[in-house]
Amino acid sequence: MSSSKEGTEYPKVAPPPSQFPEGQWSTGICNCFDDPSNCLLTCFCPCITFGRIAEILDRGNTSCGIQGLIYYAMSHIGCGWLYGGIYRSKLRGLLSLPETPCADWLVHCCCCVCSLCQEYRELKNHGADPSLGWQANVEKWSREGLSPPFVASGMDR
């Protein structure tokens, strides 16, 4: 059995095969209206969407609220694009996604709303619901007999 940071056990069962080709984004950068409610939330308060994404990528080590506040502060000093780019790179690494349409930091610099929406959709399409938070996702995966969708085999302890 593998465990999360708080000792919660979840089985070493692979998630169901994804309907999306491996190594490709499941949606495009401009498909924001594929999830209209998240698109609107991200337009008016990108720090919430970022916080939700970051909590999942950090496996619950930092809360959504803290990550959202950091992103808010970084955005106000003109560095939100850099912080967002770091987490986009982290997501790409976990899901083996290409750096498209351009460098991660540049995607966030040019359109943080589009990039955050795409990252949020990507997590959802791979079986993680960022709106639930890390712990609720772990509990959901345990109930369904799944492990986190972005844990590569051989990487768990």
Side-chain angles (χ1 to χ4, degrees), residues 26-147:
S26 60
T27 63
I29 190 82
C30 296
N31 295 116
C32 297
F33 288 109
D34 285 358
D35 186 349
S37 61
N38 182 59
C39 180
L40 288 172
L41 175 67
T42 306
C43 282
F44 293 105
C45 198
C47 53
I48 291 175
T49 301
F50 177 83
R52 289 175 174 179
I53 292 167
E55 181 178 356
I56 298 298
L57 294 178
D58 286 343
R59 301 175 65 90
N61 290 323
T62 310
S63 73
C64 167
I66 297 297
Q67 287 290 5
L69 285 172
I70 294 169
Y71 184 77
Y72 178 80
M74 296 289 283
S75 294
H76 278 12
I77 61 169
C79 295
W81 56 271
L82 181 61
Y83 198 54
I86 290 168
Y87 275 87
R88 185 175 178 88
S89 294
K90 193 172 194 175
L91 174 69
R92 282 189 324 91
L94 289 171
L95 298 177
S96 300
L97 300 170
E99 189 173 30
T100 58
C102 54
D104 296 327
W105 63 269
L106 191 55
V107 173
H108 269 270
C109 184
C110 293
C111 190
C112 72
V113 172
C114 293
S115 59
L116 288 172
C117 286
Q118 183 186 33
E119 294 157 20
Y120 189 93
R121 288 189 312 272
E122 199 65 32
L123 285 172
K124 283 186 80 170
N125 290 340
H126 280 84
D129 185 350
S131 67
L132 297 177
W134 174 254
Q135 192 59 40
N137 273 290
V138 168
E139 291 167 7
K140 179 183 127 196
W141 295 322
S142 291
R143 281 191 309 275
E144 295 172 2
L146 303 172
S147 59

